[in-house]
Amino acid sequence: MKADCYETLGVAKGANADDIKRAYRKLAMQFHPDRNPGDAGAEQKFKDVSHAYDILKDDQKRAAYDRFGHAAFENGGPGARGQDGFAANFSDIFDQMFGDMAGRRETQNQRGSDLRYNLEITLEAAFHGDQVTIRVPSWASCEPCHGSGAANGTSPVTCPTCRGAGRVRAQQGFFTIERTCASCGGAGQVIKDPCRSCQGSGRVRKEKTLEVSIPPGVDDGTRIRLSGEGEMGMRGAPPGDLYVFLSVKPHRLFQREEADLHCRVPITMPTAALGGTVEVPTLEGGRSQVTIPPGTQSGQQFRLRGKGMTILRSTGRGDLYIEVSVETPVKLTKRQKELLQEFEREDGGVPGTHPESEGFFAKVKEFLGG
């Protein structure tokens, strides 16, 4: 059973978007694989936190989750079709959430159902754009009867009950009630000799292969509509649409925040103290030099303008933020230990050499009453 998204992020159910974002940033930094190498538990926790944030940051996804829980996103959510795993009756989700004020649709003479396909892509694909081939189980027009539902050589006939109207009227007191014709199901026609291939439905189950063009700059929850690629309607009715919902896999180096990227880079103690340069990767596959000023502290950030994500339907790009982490050396040689001990003796309490420590102990002194 999947954990509650609000509990995963440690926020209340009524938390606003800023609270959710802050909680996610804190947990994502805490459990990021780069900070916990080899820790499978932390990696899974990072994935859980990213999944929860993906749902709660989007108003529509959050509304669906608050009503249906995780079932809203499994097998296409409410109204999923069979055991396909990803093809779902997309329109039924909204029927359940907001109510079908017009009543159940008459499938015999209405367009086919919309389908949902969940597609996971890499951050690189979201940056550059991509062309992806997908296979979608759906309904297609029956070839032997050309979608009519009638056996070869025959054709549907006008329904004798409603005379082709598809609806019948009945008088109840002062009111006239109009209902869908029970004999033809609203189609206005009946089939006396049904097609053996489709049993009179006019459609057969079939898997189709489609190409999906992913534009550069897409984000979690981006929806791509493929018109006419949904389920074929009954007895020759037009097909519905296919909606491809995108989700972006977590990246091992970069964390995305809208159009900006964040990357944590380790530096040595001498580089932090004396200054220098560090080479960092960029998402497009190149490298950039970052100048490290003397006295740099862990957690300090440097911005590389225009090195972030591609912005959807724009020529602009976000920024890349490099957060440095000063590493403490391990497995020191004897000479290295001697040098550090000598440095400690020379350093001995010189004012201004440790600004963070001085600030902390000043606060402790104030807290303890001087």
Side-chain angles (χ1 to χ4, degrees):
M1 182 177 180
K2 293 185 179 179
D4 180 81
C5 289
Y6 293 100
E7 292 181 3
T8 299
L9 292 181
V11 297
K13 194 168 184 179
N16 59 35
D18 291 337
D19 292 337
I20 291 172
K21 180 182 289 188
R22 279 194 294 269
Y24 164 71
R25 287 291 307 278
K26 179 180 178 182
L27 293 173
M29 294 296 289
Q30 178 181 350
F31 294 107
H32 195 278
D34 285 350
R35 284 193 170 182
N36 305 273
D39 188 340
E43 185 172 356
Q44 183 59 48
K45 184 67 175 176
F46 177 76
K47 291 179 180 179
D48 293 342
V49 167
S50 299
H51 175 71
Y53 180 62
D54 168 55
I55 292 174
L56 299 185
K57 73 177 182 179
D58 184 278
D59 291 340
Q60 290 186 358
K61 285 186 179 181
R62 185 175 179 181
Y65 175 76
D66 287 344
R67 177 156 185 179
F68 300 112
H70 288 287
F73 312 101
E74 295 173 356
N75 296 332
R81 294 288 186 182
Q83 300 298 323
D84 299 334
F86 49 74
N89 185 338
F90 175 72
S91 59
D92 279 355
I93 297 175
F94 293 94
D95 287 346
Q96 293 185 41
M97 287 181 64
F98 304 110
D100 187 357
M101 301 302 294
R104 299 300 299 169
R105 83 179 102 187
E106 301 155 9
T107 55
Q108 284 82 355
N109 60 357
Q110 297 293 325
R111 65 191 290 272
S113 298
D114 295 333
L115 296 179
R116 170 173 177 151
Y117 187 99
N118 295 328
L119 179 62
E120 189 176 49
I121 61 175
T122 63
L123 188 61
E124 288 84 354
F127 175 83
H128 293 288
D130 202 358
Q131 191 81 10
V132 179
T133 301
I134 63 174
R135 300 177 68 86
V136 184
S138 182
W139 292 97
S141 178
C142 177
E143 293 183 3
C145 68
H146 306 290
S148 70
N152 191 24
T154 68
S155 60
V157 298
T158 301
C159 174
T161 303
C162 65
R163 299 180 181 180
R167 303 185 70 82
V168 293
R169 292 183 178 183
Q171 191 74 28
Q172 291 186 359
F174 296 102
F175 300 98
T176 299
I177 306 300
E178 188 177 78
R179 296 189 179 93
T180 300
C181 177
S183 299
C184 65
Q189 295 178 321
V190 292
I191 297 174
K192 292 185 176 181
D193 188 8
C195 171
R196 293 184 179 182
S197 297
C198 63
Q199 287 75 48
S201 68
R203 60 183 188 173
V204 292
R205 200 69 171 159
K206 187 177 181 180
E207 186 177 68
K208 55 184 176 182
T209 301
L210 300 171
E211 293 291 325
V212 181
S213 296
I214 300 173
V218 295
D219 201 350
D220 280 325
T222 297
R223 185 183 72 175
I224 299 175
R225 176 178 173 236
L226 301 182
S227 180
E229 298 295 352
E231 286 189 351
M232 177 62 63
M234 296 283 283
R235 300 178 187 173
D241 300 329
L242 173 65
Y243 290 87
V244 179
F245 280 75
L246 302 180
S247 61
V248 183
K249 298 178 184 177
H251 198 277
R252 295 198 63 84
L253 288 178
F254 301 103
Q255 293 182 25
R256 180 179 184 176
E257 186 175 343
E258 297 179 349
D260 296 329
L261 293 174
H262 296 260
C263 183
R264 190 167 178 266
V265 178
I267 61 174
T268 64
M269 287 175 57
T271 300
L274 302 175
T277 59
V278 61
E279 193 173 57
V280 298
T282 56
L283 190 56
E284 63 262 38
R287 297 175 181 271
S288 292
Q289 293 284 341
V290 176
T291 300
I292 307 298
T296 295
Q297 305 295 311
S298 275
Q300 192 167 339
Q301 288 190 343
F302 300 91
R303 181 168 68 173
L304 299 179
R305 295 182 182 273
K307 294 295 183 179
M309 283 296 297
T310 306
I311 299 175
L312 186 63
R313 292 185 290 273
S314 171
T315 58
R317 286 180 57 180
D319 300 329
L320 172 60
Y321 289 87
I322 301 299
E323 179 183 328
V324 298
S325 172
V326 181
E327 286 193 310
T328 302
V330 295
K331 298 181 181 179
L332 298 173
T333 65
K334 181 179 178 180
R335 177 56 180 157
Q336 287 173 329
K337 291 179 181 178
E338 291 173 351
L339 289 172
L340 286 176
Q341 289 167 352
E342 182 180 347
F343 171 77
E344 187 175 26
R345 287 192 298 270
E346 290 289 332
D347 178 59
V350 177
T353 56
H354 301 283
E356 187 172 348
S357 295
E358 290 180 2
F360 173 76
F361 289 114
K363 292 176 184 177
V364 171
K365 183 177 180 182
E366 182 181 354
F367 174 72
L368 298 177

